[in-house]
Amino acid sequence: MEYRKLGTSDLNLSAITYGAFAIGGSMWGGNEKQDSIDAIHASLDHGVTSIDTAPFYGFGLSEELIGEAIKGRDRSKIQILTKFGLVWDKSNNGKGEHFFDAADDQGNTIPVFKFASKENIIKEIEESLKRLGTDYIDLLQIHWPDATTPISETMEAMELLIQQGKIKAAGVCNYDLSQMQTAAETIKLASNQVSYSMLNRGIENELVPYSIANEISIIAYSPLERGLLTGKYFKDAKLKSDDHRNGYFGQFNPARVEDFLNKIQPIADSKNSTLTQLVLRWTMLQPGITVVLAGSRNAKQAIENAAAIDINLTSEELNFINENLASINHQWV
């Protein structure tokens, strides 16, 4: 595995980091507890030392499973990344910005709010520490920008948590350039976690140059576009009715995506690798990308993801991939 320094912090994360959204079950058609724990164990055993989660993933379930999975392991060798700022219970008394309506396992509608006040952050960190069974978080991140709370207030709260030793570094998720610049007036951020993939490269215009210039790491989520770039959904793979990807995949043109994957498949074959591994390796080789999140719901997938680090891509192969991406001008919809 390759380990990379996160911004100017003291954290070193595995270039492939375990993404724990899917093991929460909600929005992903449910989950199998033991498979999820086995996936985390397999990741750790194959060099993936960093785990990214959030309270919202499974309404706390993802964090609880991680806490159970790492129990008895050397905590100093594991980096836990979690988040705050998505509130789904009634404790915020309607404060914050309504984001969307989710559904629990029983099909009940649950309103979700963006809420990143200082008071809420302090509350959420204690809840996360309890679920994770630890006394500190390596990287704490705001999950989504909250228009109802000044960015300075949110950043000041994270600075306080650093001083208290409850977190080692502060990061953000889904911040645009303007929001990053505002946050920089209060705190030195370690990272910005944003959506980035072969099919979604918008951050290359502003965020990547800014992040490189200011020594801020980019954590790329959805590098596989939630499984679309694995290619298996073009081979009769079926999604459960409550899987959010039924709607998510609709933003892309399936024929163009399949054609592109068919063109790069020979490169994967020549490396004795899968499309999944090839896509992950390409992503982590892009300028400004420090960490790539890869989710897995069982040990086999986790081991496959970790092995992506071993793929060597020549400049000619990278150019071939990039030329095929550029030839269609990213017009996937």
Side-chain angles (χ1 to χ4, degrees), residues 274-295:
T274 64
L275 276 174
T276 295
Q277 293 169 323
L278 176 61
V279 172
L280 289 176
R281 188 57 176 154
W282 176 91
T283 308
M284 70 183 75
L285 290 174
Q286 300 312 298
I289 305 300
T290 301
V291 171
V292 176
L293 300 186

Side-chain angles (χ1 to χ4, degrees), residues 126-278:
E126 296 302 329
E127 293 171 343
S128 288
L129 290 172
K130 182 177 180 180
R131 285 190 290 258
L132 290 160
T134 186
D135 58 0
Y136 71 94
I137 301 299
D138 294 274
L139 177 69
L140 183 66
Q141 309 156 94
I142 180 173
H143 205 151
W144 284 89
D146 166 25
T148 69
T149 302
I151 289 176
S152 59
E153 178 181 340
T154 301
M155 298 303 126
E156 287 168 3
M158 285 202 284
E159 184 66 59
L160 175 62
L161 290 171
I162 291 175
Q163 295 170 3
Q164 293 176 342
K166 292 185 177 181
I167 68 174
K168 290 190 173 182
V172 297
C173 301
N174 304 299
Y175 264 36
D176 62 23
L177 178 59
S178 175
Q179 291 162 336
M180 292 290 289
Q181 292 171 328
T182 301
E185 297 172 3
T186 304
I187 196 172
K188 177 59 179 177
L189 292 171
S191 60
N192 186 8
Q193 183 178 143
V194 289
S195 177
Y196 179 74
S197 75
M198 287 177 164
L199 313 184
N200 176 20
R201 301 174 67 179
I203 65 168
E204 294 176 357
N205 297 324
E206 293 184 340
L207 276 180
V208 167
Y210 174 83
S211 298
I212 292 174
N214 290 276
E215 297 182 277
I216 298 172
S217 289
I218 291 177
I219 300 175
Y221 73 81
S222 292
L224 296 167
E225 287 300 350
R226 310 190 190 189
L228 185 65
L229 287 173
T230 66
K232 65 182 180 179
Y233 295 103
F234 300 107
K235 298 182 174 71
D236 298 322
K238 302 297 183 183
L239 298 173
K240 293 183 179 180
S241 61
D242 58 346
D243 194 312
H244 77 286
R245 289 173 294 178
N246 286 299
Y248 183 84
F249 289 165
Q251 68 184 292
F252 303 108
N253 183 309
R256 289 183 178 178
V257 176
E258 185 176 20
D259 179 63
F260 169 73
L261 293 178
N262 287 336
K263 288 179 178 177
I264 66 172
Q265 181 70 60
I267 297 178
D269 293 340
S270 71
K271 311 291 181 181
N272 293 316
S273 69
T274 64
L275 276 174
T276 295
Q277 293 169 323
L278 176 61

